[in-house]
Amino acid sequence: MRIVLVGPPGAGKGTQAAYLAKNLVIPHISTGDLFRANISQGTDLGKQAKAFMDAGELVPDEVTIGMARDRMNQPDAAGGFLLDGFPRNVSQAEALDEALKEDGVTLDAVLDLEVPEEEVVKRIAGRRICRNDSSHVFHVSYSAPKQQGVCDVCGGELYQRDDDSEETVRKRLEVYHTQTEPIIDYYKAQDLVVTIPALGKVEEVTERAMAALQGGE
Ligand code: AMP
């Protein structure tokens, strides 16, 4: 299956993407994770991306689209993938459509995670992520690790993302509304969008998402 996941920052895209990718046996491709890996490795691409990310803005399409395409061209993505955080504006969606067309394939679904705005800021401000694996996500009050600062799953160090400060979150939300939300209409025109409420327990949201995807909508 070829799936795009959309939703505001803090909707739980990374967490859901990890579960869904495992259930569907397809790679989870997160452009945010790819940028963060480049930043920690000190690559040129990472250096180009960092200032935009820290400001809560989108990294320019010239950088982003090439990086996403390279990842989608890896052998493990030949049979399908789950895109998390890409596309994030209409021109990226158009570039993705073109790339898929060249490969003679199409998207199966666009899964839209819906979450109230007040919830988003609360979720992000307390979010802590494992340095070893970004799908190991905790929250200081909603889902606290057994030992503060340590990942329950693998013992890795938990940290707060640089762009998870309240000010940057507000900017990221504004960017989401103005630049990313329009892709939902873009994909509605292709009859690909499935919207599910992203509130509740992680497993419940995953079940809802699997049911929606398997419903063939
Ligand atoms: P995420 O981990 O998906 O929340 O992404 C974190 C940050 O990486 C975003 O706020 C952007 O600065 C950047 N980013 C991730 N994906 C994209 C994309 N598709 N286009 C532009 N910037 C992106």
Side-chain angles (χ1 to χ4, degrees):
M1 279 187 111
R2 290 177 180 81
I3 302 166
V4 168
L5 201 56
V6 288
K13 291 195 296 297
T15 308
Q16 288 304 325
Y19 284 108
L20 292 172
K22 202 170 159 204
N23 281 348
L24 297 165
V25 201
I26 47 178
H28 165 204
I29 300 181
S30 154
T31 40
D33 283 351
L34 292 173
F35 284 131
R36 282 184 287 278
N38 273 278
I39 290 171
S40 59
Q41 287 155 18
T43 67
D44 281 345
L45 196 149
K47 282 176 196 146
Q48 279 174 280
K50 187 164 184 353
F52 294 99
M53 292 175 74
D54 287 348
E57 284 165 14
L58 295 188
V59 178
D61 288 350
E62 305 82 78
V63 180
T64 307
I65 292 169
M67 179 185 76
R69 283 196 71 161
D70 283 350
R71 179 62 190 88
M72 282 186 272
N73 285 334
Q74 299 294 311
D76 66 335
F81 47 70
L82 180 67
L83 293 178
D84 160 15
F86 181 86
R88 239 184 173 96
N89 60 27
V90 171
S91 63
Q92 291 181 10
E94 287 167 351
L96 174 62
D97 270 351
E98 245 169 68
L100 295 174
K101 205 167 156 193
E102 274 171 30
D103 292 343
V105 294
T106 52
L107 289 176
D108 295 288
V110 173
L111 186 66
D112 170 27
L113 299 183
E114 226 176 25
V115 56
E117 190 128 341
E118 334 66 271
E119 185 65 21
V120 159
V121 179
K122 272 194 255 165
R123 281 189 186 193
I124 295 193
R127 176 158 79 171
R128 299 293 181 272
I129 296 168
C130 176
R131 286 222 187 265
N132 294 340
D133 185 332
S134 66
S135 71
H136 304 164
V137 184
F138 299 83
H139 187 284
V140 288
S141 35
Y142 302 155
S143 148
K146 291 197 185 79
Q147 193 184 337
Q148 196 190 337
V150 180
C151 176
D152 286 357
V153 185
C154 71
E157 182 201 353
L158 298 181
Y159 77 108
Q160 181 171 32
R161 275 171 44 172
D162 288 345
D163 59 351
D164 276 356
S165 69
E166 187 167 337
E167 192 196 341
T168 313
V169 170
R170 298 210 181 272
K171 177 68 189 169
R172 286 162 62 203
L173 271 169
E174 180 200 318
V175 167
Y176 179 75
H177 291 312
T178 56
Q179 302 192 50
T180 307
E181 260 178 357
I183 72 172
I184 297 176
D185 280 338
Y186 176 89
Y187 285 126
K188 274 189 180 158
Q190 299 182 24
D191 209 13
L192 285 172
V193 180
V194 191
T195 303
I196 60 158
L199 284 182
K201 290 202 182 111
V202 171
E203 313 86 73
E204 286 167 4
V205 179
T206 311
E207 271 169 33
R208 239 175 261 154
M210 286 300 291
L213 291 172
Q214 282 159 354
E217 283 169 271

